Amino acid sequence: MSRRFLIFLLLFPLAISAQDTRYPKDEFRSPLDIPLILAGTFGELRSNHFHSGIDIKTQQRQGLPVYAIGDGTVTRIKVALWGYGKVLYVAHPNGYTSVYGHLQKFSPKIEEYIKKIQYTKKSYEVEAFPEYGEIKLEKGEIIAYSGNTGGSSGPHLHFEIRSSISEKPTNPLLYGLEVRDATNPTLLGLYGYPLSENAQLNQSATKTQINFTKQKDGSFLADKVTALGTIGFGFVGFDRQDLAANKNGVYSVRQLVNGQVYTDYDFESFSFAETRYINTLIDYDHFGKYRQRIQKCFKSPGNHLSIYNTLVNDGKIKVNEGLSYTVEILIYDLEGNLTKLVIPVEGKKQILKIKDETPKTENYIIAKRPNNFDLGIAKVYFPANTFYENFYIDLKEGTDTVMIHNNRVPAHKNFTLTFDVTKYTAEERKQLFIARLDKDLKPSYASTYKRGNTFSTRTRYLGTYTLAKDTIAPTIRTKNFKNKQWLTNYKYLSLLISDDLSGIDTYSATLNGEWILMEYEPKTRTLTYNFDDKILDKKQCLLKVNVKDNVGNSTTYEVTFFRK
Ligand SMILES: [Zn+2]
């Protein structure tokens, strides 16, 4: 490294990555031909994951043309009920793969390719890996239409750029795509954490909220913190771009202590293998209570994230009696807009007003070991390293119900919960399943494996589980037509399906005895058949639809219609 460059690095240690030269800036075009307005940024804090792309708003509409951002070849096509819904992966010669999710439909040539597979496999949900070069695309070619499929809660395009080899997602805004952003990140809250044994912060041994005020120069100044021992800080914030009100994620975070960088991380890239460690970056307990994500500036036990550029003393600050410290938290968006917060800290022992009163139960989890508990009606098995930290676990049992702590402790791995169903007859067991109860005691189906006298489920969610019974079969009705109707000019057939308790497991449909593809949209409970799929040679058509719920209750519905 040249000396001049080294000096440059020392003077400007934060290379704002919109100027990051590692990424090609003028090779890709935008995937849409509307101005880019984001409903989500890369690295944004989501449930159990960092957002691996950007969410581009599509003017509250579906069906906008989606373009190949560069020459390339389709390497993967997937159709799924959840996740990315209909998604396309395109590999480009420069070593990057672009990903387009929640699509409404693919371009005709890709649609034809995937429908063949769907009809062969007799399944709406499919995944295909075309040979390299089998489906070639040119830069700017329409490859699909934007939609709202899968786990999407409104029309938008989920767009990613990954390294083709490592499959690591990278921040798509590092490739020269333009998103207007002249707005500083917004700071909503600041919290201080006593971390070592006997540490205190503002007379408290537990997490404490700290007030701050805006200064004339636009920065924020926190009320003076009095502390002793090892402490850490965390903040709540978001970034807003210029053209929308969406609260998106920030790009980078730095924490300085007396001018020295203690913490520096950013969302240039991460790997899917580490994404669930987000639950160690945020204060998960706080999230469970208030649905608000505090981003910690220090590294908690069990955190294996690779996003840190600098981490001194794990971002923790050792406060000594009689000394003063200036802690600065700098929050940047990708354009380099900065929000700065200064926290004066004084090292001083004070009388403790709030003690750490984490309840001690009779069962203690040692995170790195496997842990087994027998609750009578059910057994629970946590493999080693299910949890990030040791803690007292709260376990209770009732009639057919077990409480496994609460949802404010994250599990990194699946654990196994096994119910004893000896007391139920074989007939009763058919309609029984394991349900997770939400805070309003509403049951939802947990994948139930039935074997001998036991039912088991594998889950990552602590909480209350019970045995529930589903005796009612799914319902099916037509949505856009009636029995015995002439449908000569119809393009689609739609039906509504639903199940009250265990939920829909499988469905199938035939037209005059032949399997047809019905696309299922769980969010609207709609099954749709496209008449373009098959030429009907008969005037009178018999449509048969069968739907099964998760315990095997089954409904078959028959309807006749006519077509010229
Ligand atoms: Zn997304």
Side-chain angles (χ1 to χ4, degrees):
M1 195 185 290
S2 80
R3 194 183 178 87
R4 180 176 294 182
F5 185 57
L6 192 69
I7 289 167
F8 173 82
L9 276 183
L10 289 170
L11 288 176
F12 304 98
L14 185 83
I16 290 304
S17 292
Q19 273 78 49
D20 201 315
T21 50
R22 281 170 292 177
Y23 300 94
K25 290 286 179 292
D26 42 27
E27 292 184 19
F28 292 138
R29 55 152 286 157
S30 166
L32 296 173
D33 56 11
I34 55 169
L36 297 188
I37 302 177
L38 302 188
T41 48
F42 183 82
E44 191 163 288
L45 315 173
R46 301 273 176 97
S47 283
N48 302 306
H49 70 286
F50 295 105
H51 191 227
S52 52
I54 53 174
D55 286 344
I56 308 171
K57 293 169 82 114
T58 51
Q59 308 175 328
Q60 284 91 45
R61 289 186 290 149
Q62 301 196 38
L64 299 188
V66 176
Y67 303 93
I69 61 165
D71 292 347
T73 173
V74 177
T75 51
R76 186 179 175 194
I77 312 165
K78 190 174 177 183
V79 177
L81 294 180
W82 303 105
Y84 293 172
K86 294 184 186 178
V87 57
L88 205 54
Y89 296 72
V90 179
H92 304 283
N94 62 2
Y96 293 99
T97 292
S98 52
V99 183
Y100 313 78
H102 307 307
L103 301 167
Q104 180 189 50
K105 60 179 182 195
F106 303 109
S107 70
K109 73 176 176 193
I110 301 171
E111 194 78 12
E112 195 190 317
Y113 183 94
I114 201 74
K115 280 223 169 156
K116 244 185 221 156
I117 295 170
Q118 288 173 315
Y119 271 91
T120 307
K121 295 199 166 164
K122 297 190 173 172
S123 172
Y124 172 53
E125 291 190 279
V126 288
E127 184 170 20
F129 299 90
E131 293 292 315
Y132 201 90
E134 195 178 353
I135 309 176
K136 275 192 193 155
L137 301 170
E138 273 175 31
K139 183 176 182 174
E141 181 177 339
I142 293 178
I143 53 174
Y145 295 87
S146 71
N148 188 32
T149 53
S152 167
S153 54
H156 75 275
L157 176 69
H158 172 90
F159 175 67
E160 292 181 15
I161 301 180
R162 300 183 184 179
S163 155
S164 300
I165 291 173
S166 71
E167 290 191 49
K168 274 177 91 168
T170 59
N171 195 321
L173 298 183
L174 298 172
Y175 297 80
L177 294 176
E178 228 170 274
V179 177
R180 273 172 56 187
D181 187 358
T183 318
N184 294 343
T186 301
L187 185 65
L188 291 178
L190 173 68
Y191 293 85
Y193 294 80
L195 296 173
S196 56
E197 206 168 327
N198 300 323
Q200 54 166 268
L201 190 149
N202 289 353
Q203 300 190 291
S204 169
T206 65
K207 177 185 73 183
T208 303
Q209 190 165 10
I210 301 162
N211 292 323
F212 51 84
T213 48
K214 196 166 191 168
Q215 305 298 293
K216 274 193 194 129
D217 65 357
S219 69
F220 294 91
L221 179 65
D223 294 353
K224 192 169 88 180
V225 169
T226 307
L228 206 62
T230 302
I231 62 167
F233 292 100
F235 70 92
V236 181
F238 63 84
D239 186 48
R240 196 178 68 75
Q241 278 84 39
D242 289 357
L243 299 171
N246 297 73
K247 294 174 178 174
N248 298 332
V250 306
Y251 180 67
S252 74
V253 175
R254 306 183 92 207
Q255 178 186 240
L256 288 81
V257 180
N258 294 338
Q260 188 193 352
V261 179
Y262 265 47
T263 311
D264 178 4
Y265 66 85
D266 64 38
F267 292 105
E268 174 224 323
S269 177
F270 60 85
S271 74
F272 287 105
E274 65 180 320
T275 195
R276 192 169 294 145
Y277 288 111
I278 187 176
N279 292 335
T280 62
L281 179 72
I282 64 166
D283 180 334
Y284 198 87
D285 178 73
H286 185 89
F287 177 66
K289 278 182 195 145
Y290 308 108
R291 310 312 289 173
Q292 184 189 52
R293 293 183 174 96
I294 300 174
Q295 247 168 288
K296 296 180 210 164
C297 299
F298 59 93
K299 192 172 168 181
S300 291
N303 174 336
H304 295 291
L305 288 170
S306 70
I307 56 174
Y308 297 99
N309 303 311
T310 307
L311 200 58
V312 171
N313 197 27
D314 280 346
K316 298 169 182 172
I317 304 148
K318 196 168 183 315
V319 179
N320 292 309
E321 178 93 48
L323 294 180
S324 303
Y325 306 79
T326 302
V327 179
E328 292 166 90
I329 296 175
L330 311 179
I331 307 163
Y332 294 88
D333 64 21
L334 191 111
E335 290 301 317
N337 299 305
L338 163 68
T339 293
K340 179 175 166 178
L341 168 69
V342 178
I343 315 160
V345 179
E346 192 191 346
K348 191 171 146 192
K349 187 164 188 164
Q350 289 187 303
I351 294 162
L352 216 51
K353 284 188 181 160
I354 302 163
K355 296 199 174 95
D356 183 6
E357 273 156 0
T358 309
K360 290 196 167 78
T361 61
E362 49 191 90
N363 296 306
Y364 190 66
I365 293 275
I366 296 179
K368 65 179 178 197
R369 285 197 211 142
N371 292 271
N372 252 312
F373 300 99
D374 191 340
L375 302 170
I377 172 82
K379 289 189 173 89
V380 57
Y381 168 68
F382 300 106
N385 297 309
T386 299
F387 300 105
Y388 303 113
E389 297 183 57
N390 302 343
F391 69 105
Y392 286 98
I393 189 165
D394 193 9
L395 301 166
K396 288 192 178 77
E397 62 150 316
T399 315
D400 285 352
T401 300
V402 288
M403 189 194 82
I404 305 162
H405 206 71
N406 59 50
N407 65 354
R408 300 197 302 279
V409 172
H412 194 75
K413 290 182 183 171
N414 278 321
F415 60 88
T416 308
L417 174 64
T418 306
F419 277 90
D420 183 341
V421 293
T422 313
K423 66 177 179 186
Y424 292 102
T425 65
E427 203 50 40
E428 285 170 320
R429 286 179 203 177
K430 277 185 193 159
Q431 293 179 324
L432 277 181
F433 64 98
I434 300 176
R436 187 180 139 79
L437 299 178
D438 69 11
K439 64 178 195 316
D440 304 316
L441 302 180
K442 199 177 151 251
S444 62
Y445 178 78
S447 289
T448 306
Y449 306 96
K450 302 182 174 183
R451 219 174 116 183
N453 291 332
T454 61
F455 285 8
S456 64
T457 190
R458 282 162 57 73
T459 173
R460 283 189 293 105
Y461 296 98
L462 298 181
T464 303
Y465 289 83
T466 191
L467 289 175
K469 199 172 190 182
D470 184 354
T471 57
I472 301 164
T475 60
I476 305 171
R477 62 191 171 89
T478 61
K479 191 174 174 182
N480 70 340
F481 67 103
K482 287 202 273 294
N483 194 20
K484 305 257 167 82
Q485 195 181 339
W486 279 89
L487 304 177
T488 303
N489 294 318
Y490 272 54
K491 282 189 157 42
Y492 301 98
L493 278 181
S494 294
L495 294 113
L496 285 170
I497 62 175
S498 78
D499 187 71
D500 65 324
L501 195 56
S502 66
I504 286 160
D505 181 27
T506 59
Y507 69 90
S508 64
T510 60
L511 206 48
N512 296 335
E514 270 188 78
W515 187 88
I516 53 164
L517 172 66
M518 292 212 95
E519 302 205 346
Y520 178 37
E521 176 49 87
K523 294 191 290 280
T524 57
R525 299 171 173 178
T526 306
L527 288 181
T528 306
Y529 169 69
N530 186 340
F531 279 112
D532 288 344
D533 283 9
K534 230 178 191 133
I535 299 132
L536 293 164
D537 52 6
K538 281 190 192 144
K539 244 189 208 167
Q540 182 171 337
C541 302
L542 175 67
L543 174 70
K544 246 190 201 184
V545 181
N546 175 266
V547 181
K548 285 190 183 70
D549 67 17
N550 277 304
V551 296
N553 295 314
S554 167
T555 300
T556 301
Y557 182 82
E558 292 187 13
V559 58
T560 302
F561 62 86
F562 305 98
R563 244 174 109 87
K564 255 191 211 123

